[in-house]
Every structure is written in structure tokens, then in C-alpha cells.
Amino acid sequence: IKEVETMASEVGLAFQIQDDILDVTSTQEELGKPVLSDEKNEKTTYVTLEGLEKAKRDVKEISDRAAGRLAGLPGKNEFLYNIIEMLVNRKN
């Protein structure tokens, strides 16, 4: 259970970092919501703290760690791998 909780936390963090990235790199049409809203609201985000390039690297690293944890679990978990992939590599 602890491994699953840690994996879920990593996926959630990667998802949020990706959301912060999309806020500064996407368009309103692609994202389906206003962009640059964090900046307009003077909100501190992962991107504002660490920079865009590090944020991109960290999304990959954190999601890879989560996938590695998933690989250590019993059974075939292809559906969960696909969810991790979709969540952290999403464009909207």
C-alpha cells in the first residue's frame, strides 16, 4: 500500500508540474482554459520557482519513478502505465 501511495503522490506531482508548464507554453484553444492565468494572478508555480526546462525534466523524472514503482507491483498493469503516460504527457 505504501508503494501505491508513493506512486500516486508522484503522479499527482508530475501532473501538477505539467499543468504549470502548459499554463505558460500552451494556447487557450489547445488547453481549453485561459493560459498565463497563474502569472496574471501572481501565483507561485513550479515553473516560476524552478524554470521551464527544469520543470520539463522533473516531470519526466518523477513520472519515470512512478512507472518504476508500478513495475514493481504484481500483475499486469498496462492500463495504469497508460494512465501515467497520458496524465504527465498531456497537452490539455
Side-chain angles (χ1 to χ4, degrees):
I1 291 175
K2 183 68 176 162
E3 239 356 66
V4 172
E5 288 174 344
T6 301
M7 179 186 66
S9 179
E10 289 169 339
V11 170
L13 178 58
F15 178 90
Q16 184 56 56
I17 296 169
Q18 183 68 10
D19 193 64
D20 293 348
I21 291 169
L22 291 174
D23 189 62
V24 297
T25 62
S26 192
T27 66
Q28 184 168 340
E29 291 76 26
E30 288 175 317
L31 200 53
K33 65 179 186 178
V35 295
L36 300 174
S37 60
D38 292 335
E39 183 180 320
K40 290 173 191 166
N41 293 320
E42 299 179 13
K43 187 175 179 184
T44 302
T45 68
Y46 200 90
V47 172
T48 60
L49 291 174
E50 298 292 341
L52 183 58
E53 293 309 312
K54 183 169 184 339
K56 289 178 180 180
R57 287 191 309 270
D58 288 352
V59 166
K60 170 103 174 84
E61 180 183 316
I62 294 166
S63 60
D64 286 349
R65 273 199 321 254
R69 290 183 196 286
L70 182 57
L73 297 177
K76 295 184 179 185
N77 296 301
E78 186 176 339
F79 177 73
L80 294 176
Y81 281 115
N82 291 338
I83 289 175
I84 290 171
E85 180 77 17
M86 179 195 66
L87 289 175
V88 299
N89 292 313
R90 65 195 174 86
K91 301 296 179 200
N92 57 14

